[in-house]
mmCIF file of all heavy atoms in Angstrom:
data_model
loop_
_atom_site.group_PDB
_atom_site.id
_atom_site.type_symbol
_atom_site.label_atom_id
_atom_site.label_comp_id
_atom_site.label_asym_id
_atom_site.label_seq_id
_atom_site.Cartn_x
_atom_site.Cartn_y
_atom_site.Cartn_z
ATOM 1 N N ASP A 219 91.229 281.913 14.018
ATOM 2 C CA ASP A 219 90.191 281.898 15.054
ATOM 3 C C ASP A 219 88.925 282.594 14.566
ATOM 4 O O ASP A 219 87.809 282.126 14.827
ATOM 5 C CB ASP A 219 90.700 282.583 16.325
ATOM 6 C CG ASP A 219 91.884 281.859 16.930
ATOM 7 O OD1 ASP A 219 91.692 280.811 17.558
ATOM 8 O OD2 ASP A 219 93.021 282.344 16.763
ATOM 9 N N THR A 220 89.113 283.695 13.855
ATOM 10 C CA THR A 220 87.963 284.412 13.301
ATOM 11 C C THR A 220 87.200 283.527 12.331
ATOM 12 O O THR A 220 85.963 283.426 12.392
ATOM 13 C CB THR A 220 88.436 285.682 12.575
ATOM 14 O OG1 THR A 220 89.182 286.508 13.475
ATOM 15 C CG2 THR A 220 87.247 286.463 12.030
ATOM 16 N N THR A 221 87.929 282.884 11.439
ATOM 17 C CA THR A 221 87.294 282.025 10.441
ATOM 18 C C THR A 221 86.470 280.936 11.104
ATOM 19 O O THR A 221 85.300 280.714 10.759
ATOM 20 C CB THR A 221 88.364 281.400 9.533
ATOM 21 O OG1 THR A 221 89.137 282.435 8.921
ATOM 22 C CG2 THR A 221 87.730 280.526 8.462
ATOM 23 N N ASN A 222 87.064 280.239 12.054
ATOM 24 C CA ASN A 222 86.353 279.151 12.730
ATOM 25 C C ASN A 222 85.154 279.666 13.520
ATOM 26 O O ASN A 222 84.102 279.011 13.571
ATOM 27 C CB ASN A 222 87.321 278.390 13.643
ATOM 28 C CG ASN A 222 88.341 277.601 12.862
ATOM 29 O OD1 ASN A 222 88.045 277.061 11.802
ATOM 30 N ND2 ASN A 222 89.569 277.525 13.364
ATOM 31 N N ALA A 223 85.309 280.851 14.128
ATOM 32 C CA ALA A 223 84.199 281.422 14.897
ATOM 33 C C ALA A 223 83.039 281.788 13.989
ATOM 34 O O ALA A 223 81.864 281.551 14.330
ATOM 35 C CB ALA A 223 84.674 282.655 15.663
ATOM 36 N N VAL A 224 83.329 282.354 12.814
ATOM 37 C CA VAL A 224 82.258 282.736 11.886
ATOM 38 C C VAL A 224 81.569 281.489 11.327
ATOM 39 O O VAL A 224 80.346 281.466 11.163
ATOM 40 C CB VAL A 224 82.812 283.628 10.762
ATOM 41 C CG1 VAL A 224 81.744 283.893 9.705
ATOM 42 C CG2 VAL A 224 83.314 284.955 11.338
ATOM 43 N N ILE A 225 82.341 280.440 11.056
ATOM 44 C CA ILE A 225 81.730 279.183 10.604
ATOM 45 C C ILE A 225 80.758 278.661 11.669
ATOM 46 O O ILE A 225 79.631 278.237 11.347
ATOM 47 C CB ILE A 225 82.814 278.135 10.294
ATOM 48 C CG1 ILE A 225 83.596 278.542 9.038
ATOM 49 C CG2 ILE A 225 82.204 276.748 10.113
ATOM 50 C CD1 ILE A 225 84.819 277.694 8.770
ATOM 51 N N LYS A 226 81.168 278.710 12.915
ATOM 52 C CA LYS A 226 80.294 278.248 13.996
ATOM 53 C C LYS A 226 79.063 279.141 14.130
ATOM 54 O O LYS A 226 77.935 278.642 14.330
ATOM 55 C CB LYS A 226 81.068 278.207 15.314
ATOM 56 C CG LYS A 226 80.256 277.628 16.471
ATOM 57 C CD LYS A 226 81.080 277.541 17.751
ATOM 58 C CE LYS A 226 80.246 276.969 18.898
ATOM 59 N NZ LYS A 226 81.006 276.939 20.175
ATOM 60 N N LEU A 227 79.248 280.466 14.013
ATOM 61 C CA LEU A 227 78.103 281.370 14.063
ATOM 62 C C LEU A 227 77.113 281.034 12.948
ATOM 63 O O LEU A 227 75.897 281.064 13.149
ATOM 64 C CB LEU A 227 78.563 282.829 13.926
ATOM 65 C CG LEU A 227 79.226 283.466 15.141
ATOM 66 C CD1 LEU A 227 79.751 284.858 14.786
ATOM 67 C CD2 LEU A 227 78.265 283.555 16.329
ATOM 68 N N GLY A 228 77.655 280.704 11.785
ATOM 69 C CA GLY A 228 76.790 280.344 10.676
ATOM 70 C C GLY A 228 75.978 279.094 10.958
ATOM 71 O O GLY A 228 74.777 279.024 10.638
ATOM 72 N N GLN A 229 76.617 278.108 11.561
ATOM 73 C CA GLN A 229 75.909 276.878 11.902
ATOM 74 C C GLN A 229 74.783 277.144 12.896
ATOM 75 O O GLN A 229 73.740 276.483 12.863
ATOM 76 C CB GLN A 229 76.906 275.865 12.478
ATOM 77 C CG GLN A 229 77.929 275.372 11.470
ATOM 78 C CD GLN A 229 79.075 274.615 12.117
ATOM 79 O OE1 GLN A 229 79.265 274.670 13.349
ATOM 80 N NE2 GLN A 229 79.865 273.917 11.314
ATOM 81 N N GLU A 230 74.995 278.108 13.752
ATOM 82 C CA GLU A 230 74.011 278.413 14.793
ATOM 83 C C GLU A 230 72.930 279.386 14.330
ATOM 84 O O GLU A 230 71.839 279.428 14.916
ATOM 85 C CB GLU A 230 74.721 279.002 16.014
ATOM 86 C CG GLU A 230 75.688 278.023 16.689
ATOM 87 C CD GLU A 230 76.563 278.689 17.740
ATOM 88 O OE1 GLU A 230 76.607 279.946 17.762
ATOM 89 O OE2 GLU A 230 77.209 277.960 18.522
ATOM 90 N N HIS A 231 73.224 280.170 13.282
ATOM 91 C CA HIS A 231 72.318 281.267 12.929
ATOM 92 C C HIS A 231 71.899 281.279 11.459
ATOM 93 O O HIS A 231 71.399 282.291 10.976
ATOM 94 C CB HIS A 231 72.951 282.608 13.304
ATOM 95 C CG HIS A 231 73.177 282.762 14.778
ATOM 96 N ND1 HIS A 231 72.191 283.187 15.640
ATOM 97 C CD2 HIS A 231 74.278 282.512 15.539
ATOM 98 C CE1 HIS A 231 72.682 283.211 16.875
ATOM 99 N NE2 HIS A 231 73.931 282.805 16.842
ATOM 100 N N GLY A 232 72.114 280.184 10.752
ATOM 101 C CA GLY A 232 71.468 280.054 9.460
ATOM 102 C C GLY A 232 72.221 280.539 8.244
ATOM 103 O O GLY A 232 71.586 280.887 7.248
ATOM 104 N N PHE A 233 73.547 280.581 8.300
ATOM 105 C CA PHE A 233 74.288 280.909 7.083
ATOM 106 C C PHE A 233 75.480 279.968 6.929
ATOM 107 O O PHE A 233 75.956 279.368 7.892
ATOM 108 C CB PHE A 233 74.739 282.380 7.059
ATOM 109 C CG PHE A 233 75.654 282.806 8.185
ATOM 110 C CD1 PHE A 233 77.042 282.670 8.081
ATOM 111 C CD2 PHE A 233 75.139 283.387 9.346
ATOM 112 C CE1 PHE A 233 77.884 283.091 9.100
ATOM 113 C CE2 PHE A 233 75.976 283.812 10.371
ATOM 114 C CZ PHE A 233 77.355 283.660 10.247
ATOM 115 N N THR A 234 75.918 279.805 5.680
ATOM 116 C CA THR A 234 77.104 279.002 5.384
ATOM 117 C C THR A 234 78.257 279.928 5.038
ATOM 118 O O THR A 234 78.056 281.112 4.716
ATOM 119 C CB THR A 234 76.844 278.037 4.219
ATOM 120 O OG1 THR A 234 76.418 278.790 3.073
ATOM 121 C CG2 THR A 234 75.778 277.025 4.582
ATOM 122 N N VAL A 235 79.468 279.399 5.109
ATOM 123 C CA VAL A 235 80.667 280.228 4.969
ATOM 124 C C VAL A 235 81.617 279.636 3.940
ATOM 125 O O VAL A 235 81.933 278.441 3.981
ATOM 126 C CB VAL A 235 81.395 280.352 6.331
ATOM 127 C CG1 VAL A 235 82.692 281.175 6.186
ATOM 128 C CG2 VAL A 235 80.481 280.990 7.374
ATOM 129 N N ASP A 236 82.053 280.471 3.007
ATOM 130 C CA ASP A 236 83.189 280.166 2.145
ATOM 131 C C ASP A 236 84.386 280.949 2.645
ATOM 132 O O ASP A 236 84.231 282.042 3.223
ATOM 133 C CB ASP A 236 82.909 280.544 0.691
ATOM 134 C CG ASP A 236 82.018 279.535 -0.031
ATOM 135 O OD1 ASP A 236 81.792 278.444 0.518
ATOM 136 O OD2 ASP A 236 81.550 279.858 -1.140
ATOM 137 N N VAL A 237 85.574 280.413 2.407
ATOM 138 C CA VAL A 237 86.805 281.029 2.904
ATOM 139 C C VAL A 237 87.768 281.240 1.742
ATOM 140 O O VAL A 237 87.964 280.344 0.920
ATOM 141 C CB VAL A 237 87.474 280.138 3.981
ATOM 142 C CG1 VAL A 237 88.783 280.760 4.467
ATOM 143 C CG2 VAL A 237 86.514 279.903 5.144
ATOM 144 N N TRP A 238 88.359 282.423 1.691
ATOM 145 C CA TRP A 238 89.453 282.671 0.744
ATOM 146 C C TRP A 238 90.687 283.039 1.543
ATOM 147 O O TRP A 238 90.831 284.149 2.020
ATOM 148 C CB TRP A 238 89.104 283.771 -0.246
ATOM 149 C CG TRP A 238 90.173 283.949 -1.310
ATOM 150 C CD1 TRP A 238 90.863 282.967 -1.955
ATOM 151 C CD2 TRP A 238 90.663 285.188 -1.822
ATOM 152 N NE1 TRP A 238 91.747 283.515 -2.848
ATOM 153 C CE2 TRP A 238 91.650 284.870 -2.794
ATOM 154 C CE3 TRP A 238 90.365 286.525 -1.573
ATOM 155 C CZ2 TRP A 238 92.336 285.849 -3.507
ATOM 156 C CZ3 TRP A 238 91.043 287.500 -2.282
ATOM 157 C CH2 TRP A 238 92.012 287.162 -3.240
ATOM 158 N N ASP A 239 91.543 282.055 1.744
ATOM 159 C CA ASP A 239 92.755 282.228 2.545
ATOM 160 C C ASP A 239 93.680 281.047 2.287
ATOM 161 O O ASP A 239 93.536 279.993 2.918
ATOM 162 C CB ASP A 239 92.401 282.309 4.036
ATOM 163 C CG ASP A 239 93.623 282.532 4.918
ATOM 164 O OD1 ASP A 239 94.727 282.766 4.372
ATOM 165 O OD2 ASP A 239 93.472 282.485 6.148
ATOM 166 N N PRO A 240 94.629 281.173 1.362
ATOM 167 C CA PRO A 240 95.487 280.049 1.003
ATOM 168 C C PRO A 240 96.223 279.410 2.173
ATOM 169 O O PRO A 240 96.605 278.239 2.088
ATOM 170 C CB PRO A 240 96.468 280.674 0.001
ATOM 171 C CG PRO A 240 95.701 281.803 -0.609
ATOM 172 C CD PRO A 240 94.886 282.358 0.522
ATOM 173 N N VAL A 241 96.416 280.149 3.266
ATOM 174 C CA VAL A 241 97.109 279.577 4.428
ATOM 175 C C VAL A 241 96.243 278.507 5.088
ATOM 176 O O VAL A 241 96.761 277.507 5.599
ATOM 177 C CB VAL A 241 97.480 280.684 5.432
ATOM 178 C CG1 VAL A 241 98.017 280.083 6.730
ATOM 179 C CG2 VAL A 241 98.522 281.627 4.818
ATOM 180 N N GLN A 242 94.940 278.696 5.066
ATOM 181 C CA GLN A 242 94.027 277.711 5.655
ATOM 182 C C GLN A 242 93.658 276.692 4.568
ATOM 183 O O GLN A 242 92.562 276.713 4.007
ATOM 184 C CB GLN A 242 92.786 278.406 6.218
ATOM 185 C CG GLN A 242 93.117 279.412 7.325
ATOM 186 C CD GLN A 242 91.887 279.978 7.991
ATOM 187 O OE1 GLN A 242 91.212 279.289 8.753
ATOM 188 N NE2 GLN A 242 91.591 281.239 7.734
ATOM 189 N N THR A 243 94.581 275.802 4.312
ATOM 190 C CA THR A 243 94.514 274.935 3.130
ATOM 191 C C THR A 243 93.292 274.016 3.110
ATOM 192 O O THR A 243 92.815 273.652 2.034
ATOM 193 C CB THR A 243 95.788 274.083 3.023
ATOM 194 O OG1 THR A 243 95.956 273.350 4.247
ATOM 195 C CG2 THR A 243 97.007 274.962 2.788
ATOM 196 N N THR A 244 92.796 273.627 4.269
ATOM 197 C CA THR A 244 91.655 272.708 4.295
ATOM 198 C C THR A 244 90.323 273.429 4.131
ATOM 199 O O THR A 244 89.290 272.777 3.944
ATOM 200 C CB THR A 244 91.626 271.909 5.609
ATOM 201 O OG1 THR A 244 91.489 272.822 6.712
ATOM 202 C CG2 THR A 244 92.908 271.093 5.773
ATOM 203 N N LEU A 245 90.347 274.751 4.199
ATOM 204 C CA LEU A 245 89.101 275.512 4.134
ATOM 205 C C LEU A 245 88.983 276.384 2.884
ATOM 206 O O LEU A 245 87.872 276.658 2.428
ATOM 207 C CB LEU A 245 88.971 276.428 5.368
ATOM 208 C CG LEU A 245 88.808 275.752 6.729
ATOM 209 C CD1 LEU A 245 88.819 276.803 7.841
ATOM 210 C CD2 LEU A 245 87.516 274.956 6.787
ATOM 211 N N THR A 246 90.111 276.810 2.341
ATOM 212 C CA THR A 246 90.071 277.849 1.325
ATOM 213 C C THR A 246 89.492 277.393 0.000
ATOM 214 O O THR A 246 89.584 276.213 -0.383
ATOM 215 C CB THR A 246 91.490 278.411 1.095
ATOM 216 O OG1 THR A 246 91.397 279.604 0.296
ATOM 217 C CG2 THR A 246 92.380 277.398 0.380
ATOM 218 N N LEU A 247 88.885 278.339 -0.714
ATOM 219 C CA LEU A 247 88.488 278.105 -2.087
ATOM 220 C C LEU A 247 89.737 277.891 -2.937
ATOM 221 O O LEU A 247 90.804 278.425 -2.624
ATOM 222 C CB LEU A 247 87.706 279.308 -2.617
ATOM 223 C CG LEU A 247 86.345 279.590 -1.957
ATOM 224 C CD1 LEU A 247 85.831 280.972 -2.369
ATOM 225 C CD2 LEU A 247 85.327 278.522 -2.321
ATOM 226 N N PRO A 248 89.638 277.154 -4.022
ATOM 227 C CA PRO A 248 90.829 276.857 -4.818
ATOM 228 C C PRO A 248 91.384 278.061 -5.573
ATOM 229 O O PRO A 248 92.562 278.065 -5.960
ATOM 230 C CB PRO A 248 90.353 275.773 -5.793
ATOM 231 C CG PRO A 248 88.873 275.955 -5.873
ATOM 232 C CD PRO A 248 88.457 276.419 -4.507
ATOM 233 N N SER A 249 90.554 279.083 -5.796
ATOM 234 C CA SER A 249 91.017 280.276 -6.509
ATOM 235 C C SER A 249 90.199 281.473 -6.054
ATOM 236 O O SER A 249 89.212 281.329 -5.323
ATOM 237 C CB SER A 249 90.890 280.081 -8.028
ATOM 238 O OG SER A 249 89.534 279.851 -8.383
ATOM 239 N N THR A 250 90.602 282.637 -6.492
ATOM 240 C CA THR A 250 89.933 283.855 -6.044
ATOM 241 C C THR A 250 88.441 283.831 -6.345
ATOM 242 O O THR A 250 88.024 283.483 -7.461
ATOM 243 C CB THR A 250 90.559 285.098 -6.705
ATOM 244 O OG1 THR A 250 89.792 286.266 -6.315
ATOM 245 C CG2 THR A 250 90.574 284.990 -8.218
ATOM 246 N N PRO A 251 87.613 284.222 -5.385
ATOM 247 C CA PRO A 251 86.178 284.358 -5.651
ATOM 248 C C PRO A 251 85.833 285.718 -6.267
ATOM 249 O O PRO A 251 84.702 285.939 -6.685
ATOM 250 C CB PRO A 251 85.557 284.225 -4.258
ATOM 251 C CG PRO A 251 86.610 284.755 -3.341
ATOM 252 C CD PRO A 251 87.933 284.391 -3.957
ATOM 253 N N PHE A 252 86.815 286.619 -6.307
ATOM 254 C CA PHE A 252 86.583 287.976 -6.810
ATOM 255 C C PHE A 252 86.768 288.002 -8.331
ATOM 256 O O PHE A 252 87.674 288.647 -8.859
ATOM 257 C CB PHE A 252 87.529 288.968 -6.131
ATOM 258 C CG PHE A 252 87.217 289.209 -4.684
ATOM 259 C CD1 PHE A 252 87.683 288.337 -3.699
ATOM 260 C CD2 PHE A 252 86.465 290.303 -4.281
ATOM 261 C CE1 PHE A 252 87.398 288.552 -2.354
ATOM 262 C CE2 PHE A 252 86.176 290.527 -2.945
ATOM 263 C CZ PHE A 252 86.639 289.645 -1.973
ATOM 264 N N THR A 253 85.901 287.294 -9.027
ATOM 265 C CA THR A 253 85.998 287.211 -10.484
ATOM 266 C C THR A 253 85.080 288.229 -11.154
ATOM 267 O O THR A 253 85.522 289.005 -12.000
ATOM 268 C CB THR A 253 85.661 285.798 -10.963
ATOM 269 O OG1 THR A 253 84.390 285.399 -10.412
ATOM 270 C CG2 THR A 253 86.738 284.805 -10.513
ATOM 271 N N THR A 254 83.814 288.223 -10.778
ATOM 272 C CA THR A 254 82.842 289.189 -11.298
ATOM 273 C C THR A 254 81.892 289.580 -10.173
ATOM 274 O O THR A 254 81.758 288.868 -9.173
ATOM 275 C CB THR A 254 82.003 288.602 -12.445
ATOM 276 O OG1 THR A 254 81.197 287.523 -11.930
ATOM 277 C CG2 THR A 254 82.894 288.092 -13.585
ATOM 278 N N ALA A 255 81.229 290.713 -10.366
ATOM 279 C CA ALA A 255 80.225 291.138 -9.389
ATOM 280 C C ALA A 255 79.108 290.117 -9.289
ATOM 281 O O ALA A 255 78.574 289.854 -8.205
ATOM 282 C CB ALA A 255 79.671 292.504 -9.775
ATOM 283 N N GLU A 256 78.749 289.527 -10.425
ATOM 284 C CA GLU A 256 77.675 288.537 -10.446
ATOM 285 C C GLU A 256 78.056 287.305 -9.632
ATOM 286 O O GLU A 256 77.237 286.755 -8.888
ATOM 287 C CB GLU A 256 77.346 288.139 -11.886
ATOM 288 C CG GLU A 256 76.667 289.237 -12.700
ATOM 289 C CD GLU A 256 77.622 290.343 -13.131
ATOM 290 O OE1 GLU A 256 78.850 290.104 -13.152
ATOM 291 O OE2 GLU A 256 77.147 291.445 -13.444
ATOM 292 N N SER A 257 79.306 286.884 -9.733
ATOM 293 C CA SER A 257 79.744 285.726 -8.961
ATOM 294 C C SER A 257 79.749 286.031 -7.468
ATOM 295 O O SER A 257 79.328 285.206 -6.649
ATOM 296 C CB SER A 257 81.142 285.295 -9.417
ATOM 297 O OG SER A 257 81.580 284.171 -8.669
ATOM 298 N N LEU A 258 80.197 287.220 -7.106
ATOM 299 C CA LEU A 258 80.187 287.607 -5.688
ATOM 300 C C LEU A 258 78.767 287.762 -5.165
ATOM 301 O O LEU A 258 78.536 287.703 -3.950
ATOM 302 C CB LEU A 258 80.957 288.919 -5.491
ATOM 303 C CG LEU A 258 82.479 288.852 -5.621
ATOM 304 C CD1 LEU A 258 83.074 290.245 -5.511
ATOM 305 C CD2 LEU A 258 83.090 287.921 -4.571
ATOM 306 N N GLY A 259 77.795 287.931 -6.067
ATOM 307 C CA GLY A 259 76.413 288.111 -5.650
ATOM 308 C C GLY A 259 75.823 286.934 -4.903
ATOM 309 O O GLY A 259 74.758 287.051 -4.310
ATOM 310 N N GLN A 260 76.511 285.791 -4.915
ATOM 311 C CA GLN A 260 76.034 284.653 -4.134
ATOM 312 C C GLN A 260 76.212 284.872 -2.628
ATOM 313 O O GLN A 260 75.628 284.143 -1.823
ATOM 314 C CB GLN A 260 76.798 283.393 -4.542
ATOM 315 C CG GLN A 260 78.273 283.387 -4.175
ATOM 316 C CD GLN A 260 79.021 282.180 -4.682
ATOM 317 O OE1 GLN A 260 78.830 281.072 -4.196
ATOM 318 N NE2 GLN A 260 79.860 282.394 -5.686
ATOM 319 N N TYR A 261 77.036 285.879 -2.267
ATOM 320 C CA TYR A 261 77.305 286.153 -0.847
ATOM 321 C C TYR A 261 76.470 287.331 -0.363
ATOM 322 O O TYR A 261 76.449 288.397 -0.984
ATOM 323 C CB TYR A 261 78.789 286.454 -0.629
ATOM 324 C CG TYR A 261 79.681 285.314 -1.066
ATOM 325 C CD1 TYR A 261 80.500 285.441 -2.192
ATOM 326 C CD2 TYR A 261 79.685 284.105 -0.382
ATOM 327 C CE1 TYR A 261 81.313 284.399 -2.610
ATOM 328 C CE2 TYR A 261 80.484 283.046 -0.794
ATOM 329 C CZ TYR A 261 81.287 283.197 -1.911
ATOM 330 O OH TYR A 261 82.082 282.148 -2.327
ATOM 331 N N ALA A 262 75.803 287.142 0.767
ATOM 332 C CA ALA A 262 75.030 288.229 1.363
ATOM 333 C C ALA A 262 75.939 289.288 1.957
ATOM 334 O O ALA A 262 75.588 290.468 1.992
ATOM 335 C CB ALA A 262 74.085 287.679 2.432
ATOM 336 N N THR A 263 77.106 288.884 2.435
ATOM 337 C CA THR A 263 78.101 289.833 2.938
ATOM 338 C C THR A 263 79.480 289.191 2.849
ATOM 339 O O THR A 263 79.609 287.960 2.809
ATOM 340 C CB THR A 263 77.779 290.287 4.377
ATOM 341 O OG1 THR A 263 78.590 291.422 4.718
ATOM 342 C CG2 THR A 263 77.998 289.180 5.393
ATOM 343 N N ILE A 264 80.504 290.047 2.834
ATOM 344 C CA ILE A 264 81.898 289.590 2.744
ATOM 345 C C ILE A 264 82.669 290.169 3.913
ATOM 346 O O ILE A 264 82.675 291.386 4.125
ATOM 347 C CB ILE A 264 82.537 290.023 1.406
ATOM 348 C CG1 ILE A 264 81.760 289.430 0.233
ATOM 349 C CG2 ILE A 264 84.001 289.607 1.348
ATOM 350 C CD1 ILE A 264 82.251 289.882 -1.142
ATOM 351 N N LEU A 265 83.303 289.303 4.685
ATOM 352 C CA LEU A 265 84.021 289.699 5.893
ATOM 353 C C LEU A 265 85.522 289.694 5.633
ATOM 354 O O LEU A 265 86.084 288.670 5.236
ATOM 355 C CB LEU A 265 83.659 288.758 7.036
ATOM 356 C CG LEU A 265 84.194 289.083 8.421
ATOM 357 C CD1 LEU A 265 83.232 288.538 9.492
ATOM 358 C CD2 LEU A 265 85.583 288.520 8.681
ATOM 359 N N PHE A 266 86.171 290.835 5.856
ATOM 360 C CA PHE A 266 87.614 290.970 5.732
ATOM 361 C C PHE A 266 88.236 290.836 7.125
ATOM 362 O O PHE A 266 88.088 291.719 7.962
ATOM 363 C CB PHE A 266 87.973 292.326 5.125
ATOM 364 C CG PHE A 266 87.842 292.400 3.617
ATOM 365 C CD1 PHE A 266 86.709 291.920 2.978
ATOM 366 C CD2 PHE A 266 88.840 292.961 2.843
ATOM 367 C CE1 PHE A 266 86.583 291.988 1.595
ATOM 368 C CE2 PHE A 266 88.727 293.041 1.463
ATOM 369 C CZ PHE A 266 87.597 292.558 0.833
#
């Protein structure tokens, strides 16, 4: 529910959302996004 709510907030307020959660198979990234600090730099914030 949190994931879907944040995606909707993004659509309404100007941000896009990536998801890292293998349980949500249709949404999740294929592998960990926590590879390097530079790679994570594409995200303005990270929600746990």
Side-chain angles (χ1 to χ4, degrees):
D219 297 284
T220 303
T221 303
N222 291 324
V224 173
I225 290 171
K226 185 177 180 183
L227 285 174
Q229 293 168 346
E230 296 170 346
H231 297 276
F233 60 88
T234 57
V235 178
D236 282 349
V237 178
W238 185 41
D239 182 7
V241 172
Q242 299 187 73
T243 56
T244 61
L245 294 175
T246 191
L247 294 168
S249 60
T250 175
F252 290 83
T253 52
T254 65
E256 290 75 20
S257 180
L258 288 175
Q260 67 184 289
Y261 301 110
T263 193
I264 300 176
L265 186 151
F266 280 47

